[in-house]
Amino acid sequence: MMDSKSGSSRRQPARRVVLTWLAMTLIAILATLAVGDRMRRAVFDSWQEISPRDLSATDVRVVMIDDLSIDFLGPWPWPRYHLARLTEELAARNARVIGFDILFPEQDRVAPDTFVSLYPELSQGAATEVKALMPMDQLFGQVIGAAPVVLAHAGVDEAPDGQPPLPDASITGTLPAKVADWPAELAAIPELDDVAIGHGLINFRPDSDGVIRSAPLVMRAGGKPRPAFGAEIARNMVGADSIAVSPDSVRIGGSNVPVDPEGRMRLHFGRFPSDKIVSAALVLANSKLVAPDQFAGKTVIIGLSADGTSDVVATPISAEEFGPLVQAQAVDAILRQGWLDRPQWVDAAEWGAAALLALLALATALFGRYFRIGLALAFVAVPLISWLAFANWSLLLDPAKPMLVGGGAVAGVAMGLFALARADRERLREALVQERVAAAETHGELQAARAIQLGMVPPRERLRALDPRVDLDALLEPARSIGGDYYDAMKIGDDQVGFAVADVTGKGVPAALFMAMSKALTSAALSRMADDPATIVEAINAELLKDNSEALGVAILLGMLDLETGEVRMVSAGHEDPMLLSADGAAERVRLDGGPPLCVTDFSYPLEKITLRPGETLVLVTDGVTEAQDPDGAFFGRERVPASGKMEQTRATEIVESIRDAVRMFENGAEASDDLTVMAIRYLGES
C-alpha cells in the first residue's frame, strides 16, 4: 500500500506539469497560426538584409527617365518622338530586348491634329502642312516594329472603350490556383501594341504590410492567361516560344522557376548596381559616359524615377525602391536563377520541428538535464539551419514557427514546475511554522526569543554615530512574534564601514536559532572585512552548510563602504537588489548578479561595486517590505518603495521609518506575513 501511494504522489505532480505544458503549447500553436506569417516575413527579411543578392554580374540594364532627363528634354510625359529616338539609340547599340515599364494607353498629346486644335491662330496653309506631318505615334510604332520591344500592359477592373481584342499569350499548361485575376487588361494603343514582340502585365501586389517580396510571373486578365512583364522579357531574351506553367512552377527556356499558389516568384533582393543604371538623357545625348557596349546583348528596361513619379515600392531591404529596378531584379532572377524557394514539404518539416521542441521541453521536466542540453541545442540549431538553408540553397525555412511553439512549451513546463515548487514550499513552510510556533507558545519561549532576536542587532543610536562621513540607520520588526531577519553594521579601521542585511527562510524558533548562528558568523566576518567580501560570504556559506538539519537558507547582502571614496563593494546571496537614492530623492534599482541564498549550495559569489557620491543613499530592504500584503492579498512590491514617502528627506532615519510606515499603512491592519527590515546608508563624504 505504501508503494502504491508513493507512486501516485509522484504521478500527480507529473500530471500537473503535463497539463500546463499542453495548455501553453496549444496557446503557442494558436498564436503561431495568428501571427506566424508576420514573424516569418520578419525573419526572412532579416536574412535578406544580412545577405542581399549579388547583382554585379547581371545582364540587365535600366535606363531611367530621371531628373537629369527631365531637365534635358522637358517635363513628363514626353512626346513620342523622344521615346522613338531613345528606342532607336538602344537598338543601334544592339540591345537584345527593350522593355518599356511605361503604359501607352493614350494617343500622343502632341499629335499633328491635336497641335492644330490648340493653335487656331495658324493660317490655313500652315495648319494643312502640320496636319500632313506623320503622327508621332506612327513614327514610334515604326521604330518599335524594327526593334525588339516588349510593352507593358496592366490588369484593370475595366478596359477603355474601343480597345480591340488582344491576342492570346504564348502560355501553356495549368495556371496556379490563386493567380491574380483581373477583369480586363489595359493595353497600349494599336499603333504600338500591334508591332511589339511581346506584352506583359506590370501589376505587383504587395504583401499585407505593403512590402513587395515576390514578383508575379503569370496572371489572368479578361479570363485569359497572361504573362507578367518580367516573364515576357525573359522569354524573349532566351528565345523561348512559350511559357510553360504548372500549379507550382513556371518554365521559361531553361529556367524552371518555383512559384507560390498565386503564381509569384519569391525574390532574393539585392542592391541593383549603379553602373547598370543609365540616365535616358545620356543615351539621347550619345554621351561618352555611356560605354559603346553598355547595352550590347543585354536586356534593357526603360522606366521612370524623376521626382513626382509614383513608381516607388518597398522591398525587404529598402523602404523605397523604384519599380523598374524591381522589374529588373525579377528578370535577372529568372535568367540567372536568383529566386528563393519554399517547397511544399517545408511546412510539414517546420511543424515537425515545433513538435520536437515541445516534446523536448516536456522531457526536460520528466527525465532530467540531458534533455535540457538537447533542448538548448535544438533552440540554437533551428535558426542556424534556417540561415544556412537561405544562404547556401536559397531555401526559406521558417524558424519562428518551431521556436514560438517550443517557447510556449518551455513556458508551460516552467509554469508547472514553479507552481509545484511554490505550493510545496509554502505547504512545508507553513506546516513548520505552525508546529514550531505552537510549541514555543506552549512553553512561553516566543517572547524571550523575540527579545533575543532584537537584542542581537546593534542599537540604532550606535549606527547613527558610526562616523560623521556616513548617515546610517536601520530597523527590524519581526512578523508575528519572532522571525529570521537581522542586520549589522560596524566601523572597520579608520575609513571603512561594513554592513549586512539578511533574511533566514522560515519563521519561529528554528529561524531565530539559525538567525543567531548566521548573525554570529556575519558579525565575525564584518570585523575582518579587510578580506574580499566575496571570500567572506563563501566562508560563511561553507560554515553554514556543515550543519543545517532544518534545510534553512539565508538571503544576505553583505558589503563595505569606503568612507574616503564612496566606493561600495557588495555580495548578494539571493537577496533583494538595493536601491540608490539621489540627493533629490530620485530612485533607481541597483541590479546585482548575485547568487543563490547561503546554505543552499556551494557557490562562487561575484563581488560587485558601485560608487556613492556625497548625498546619495543606498537603501536595503528584505522581502518583508516587497512582499507585504494588503487585506485583499495585493503585494506592496518594489515599485512602491521609492514612492513610500519622504524619499526627498536627507536623513537616513526618516527614510527607513517612512518606508516602514508606508508598508504598515498598505497592510491596513492585515497581519504581517514576514519580518520587515530596512537599512539606509547615506554617504556624506568629507565634512
Side-chain angles (χ1 to χ4, degrees):
M1 291 297 292
M2 291 182 62
D3 290 342
S4 175
K5 291 181 180 179
S6 177
S8 175
S9 64
R10 285 194 298 268
R11 288 193 296 270
Q12 185 65 24
R15 189 178 301 116
R16 293 180 183 178
V17 173
V18 170
L19 288 176
T20 57
W21 165 83
L22 181 60
M24 290 302 298
T25 301
L26 291 176
I27 291 172
I29 290 173
L30 293 176
T32 300
L33 295 175
V35 302
D37 285 345
R38 292 196 293 271
M39 295 182 65
R40 179 170 60 245
R41 290 171 186 168
V43 172
F44 294 158
D45 288 354
S46 66
W47 290 168
Q48 297 219 46
E49 288 181 311
I50 294 171
S51 181
R53 185 164 174 258
D54 183 8
L55 294 169
S56 60
T58 181
D59 281 335
V60 181
R61 303 291 183 267
V62 179
V63 173
M64 285 293 197
I65 300 175
D66 53 7
D67 292 336
L68 177 63
S69 305
I70 297 300
D71 293 341
F72 182 62
L73 288 178
W76 182 261
W78 285 349
R80 300 284 160 79
Y81 172 78
H82 298 318
L83 297 175
R85 278 198 55 217
L86 180 60
T87 306
E88 283 183 325
E89 285 290 339
L90 294 173
R93 292 171 180 262
N94 299 316
R96 180 93 177 247
V97 176
I98 303 170
F100 272 94
D101 190 14
I102 301 169
L103 295 170
F104 300 111
E106 300 175 347
Q107 299 289 333
D108 187 13
R109 297 184 182 182
V110 292
D113 290 342
T114 304
F115 185 84
V116 170
S117 67
L118 293 174
Y119 293 94
E121 298 86 356
L122 291 174
S123 65
Q124 184 66 34
T128 301
E129 290 182 4
V130 171
K131 288 183 178 181
L133 295 174
M134 177 185 295
M136 290 298 101
D137 285 328
Q138 183 178 344
L139 173 62
F140 191 23
Q142 290 178 357
V143 173
I144 289 176
V149 173
V150 174
L151 293 179
H153 286 190
V156 293
D157 293 330
E158 185 177 354
D161 294 335
Q163 178 174 289
L166 299 174
D168 293 338
S170 300
I171 295 178
T172 62
T174 303
L175 293 181
K178 298 180 181 179
V179 293
D181 194 348
W182 300 95
E185 183 174 350
L186 180 63
I189 59 176
E191 293 91 333
L192 311 180
D193 214 56
D194 293 345
V195 295
I197 64 171
H199 318 88
L201 301 182
I202 59 173
N203 303 73
F204 271 87
R205 279 183 175 173
D207 292 330
S208 58
D209 58 357
V211 177
I212 296 290
R213 296 181 177 86
S214 303
L217 298 187
V218 289
M219 289 175 266
R220 189 180 287 109
K224 296 180 179 180
R226 308 300 291 178
F229 184 62
E232 183 65 7
I233 290 176
R235 182 185 72 82
N236 284 277
M237 189 69 182
V238 300
D241 294 330
S242 63
I243 298 174
V245 181
S246 70
D248 58 3
S249 67
V250 173
R251 179 174 289 279
I252 303 174
S255 296
N256 191 39
V257 186
V259 295
D260 64 13
E262 297 182 33
R264 303 181 303 173
M265 168 183 62
R266 298 176 179 87
L267 279 172
H268 186 177
F269 283 90
R271 308 287 180 184
F272 202 83
S274 59
D275 61 339
K276 315 297 184 188
I277 305 172
V278 182
S279 172
L282 298 179
V283 177
L284 289 169
N286 200 17
S287 171
K288 293 182 180 179
L289 296 175
V290 182
D293 60 347
Q294 175 77 302
F295 306 109
K298 312 297 186 194
T299 297
V300 181
I301 295 179
I302 302 172
L304 294 166
S305 67
D307 288 343
T309 60
S310 59
D311 197 5
V312 177
V313 297
T315 72
I317 64 173
S318 177
E320 293 184 349
E321 184 65 280
F322 293 115
L325 298 182
V326 178
Q327 294 283 11
Q329 293 205 42
V331 173
D332 180 79
I334 297 171
L335 297 177
R336 296 200 300 139
Q337 300 186 357
W339 56 77
L340 298 170
D341 192 11
R342 184 168 168 79
Q344 294 181 354
W345 56 263
V346 300
D347 197 54
E350 289 161 1
W351 283 114
L356 175 62
L357 287 178
L359 291 173
L360 280 174
L362 180 60
T364 60
L366 301 180
F367 304 113
R369 66 174 183 176
Y370 292 111
F371 284 93
R372 289 196 290 271
I373 296 173
L375 179 64
L377 292 176
F379 267 100
V380 173
V382 166
L384 180 61
I385 291 172
S386 173
W387 163 249
L388 292 175
F390 175 88
N392 294 288
W393 303 288
S394 298
L395 288 176
L396 297 177
L397 305 181
D398 179 17
K401 184 185 300 177
M403 293 188 72
L404 184 58
V405 174
V410 170
V413 169
M415 290 171 60
L417 293 176
F418 177 78
L420 288 175
R422 186 179 181 88
D424 288 343
R425 184 171 62 252
E426 291 300 322
R427 184 172 60 253
L428 293 173
R429 179 160 58 173
E430 188 62 26
L432 181 63
V433 167
Q434 294 300 327
E435 180 182 345
R436 299 304 186 187
V437 167
E441 287 178 343
T442 301
H443 296 90
E445 297 172 353
L446 282 180
Q447 293 304 317
R450 175 183 174 90
I452 293 172
Q453 179 187 12
L454 294 176
M456 292 187 68
V457 298
R460 296 175 64 182
E461 293 78 12
R462 193 177 80 191
L463 298 180
R464 298 166 188 156
L466 282 177
D467 191 280
R469 292 170 291 181
V470 64
D471 178 18
L472 191 152
D473 197 5
L475 59 82
L476 163 64
E477 291 188 358
R480 299 183 179 94
S481 297
I482 188 170
D485 278 16
Y486 67 89
Y487 65 81
D488 201 354
M490 63 179 64
K491 186 78 173 290
I492 303 168
D494 294 330
D495 298 309
Q496 293 179 335
V497 169
F499 59 89
V501 172
D503 178 14
V504 175
T505 58
K507 305 290 186 297
V509 173
L513 295 176
F514 197 71
M515 179 274 289
M517 181 173 65
S518 303
K519 169 65 170 58
L521 292 172
T522 303
S523 297
L526 287 175
S527 66
R528 52 189 182 93
M529 276 289 283
D531 292 340
D532 185 294
T535 303
I536 297 300
V537 168
E538 291 173 14
I540 297 173
N541 189 35
E543 192 66 26
L544 291 174
L545 283 169
K546 290 181 179 179
D547 185 12
N548 182 18
S549 60
E550 297 291 339
L552 299 175
V554 182
I556 185 170
L557 195 152
L558 184 143
M560 181 167 60
L561 168 65
D562 189 311
L563 297 173
E564 287 190 339
T565 65
E567 182 187 63
V568 180
R569 296 187 294 162
M570 293 178 288
V571 176
S572 175
H575 200 273
E576 295 276 348
D577 287 341
M579 288 179 301
L580 180 63
L581 303 182
S582 64
D584 60 2
E588 64 174 294
R589 181 178 181 178
V590 180
R591 297 187 178 273
L592 302 178
D593 293 332
L598 301 183
C599 208
V600 172
T601 184
D602 188 14
F603 188 81
S604 180
Y605 292 89
L607 179 65
E608 304 179 65
K609 302 177 182 179
I610 64 169
T611 299
L612 300 179
R613 293 190 293 268
E616 290 186 333
T617 305
L618 195 66
V619 177
L620 290 71
V621 300
T622 60
D623 56 8
V625 173
T626 58
E627 295 182 6
Q629 294 178 272
D630 66 9
D632 295 327
F635 289 98
F636 185 81
R638 171 176 289 276
E639 63 278 3
R640 284 190 172 91
V641 175
S644 57
K646 296 189 178 180
M647 292 296 99
E648 75 281 359
Q649 299 297 330
T650 58
R651 295 180 59 226
T653 298
E654 293 174 336
I655 293 174
V656 298
E657 291 182 351
S658 66
I659 294 175
R660 184 268 317 277
D661 294 344
V663 171
R664 298 309 181 212
M665 184 178 297
F666 177 82
E667 291 172 336
N668 195 23
E671 186 177 23
S673 61
D674 203 351
D675 298 349
L676 181 148
T677 303
V678 185
M679 176 180 285
I681 305 169
R682 181 169 174 262
Y683 177 60
L684 303 177
E686 296 292 341
S687 57

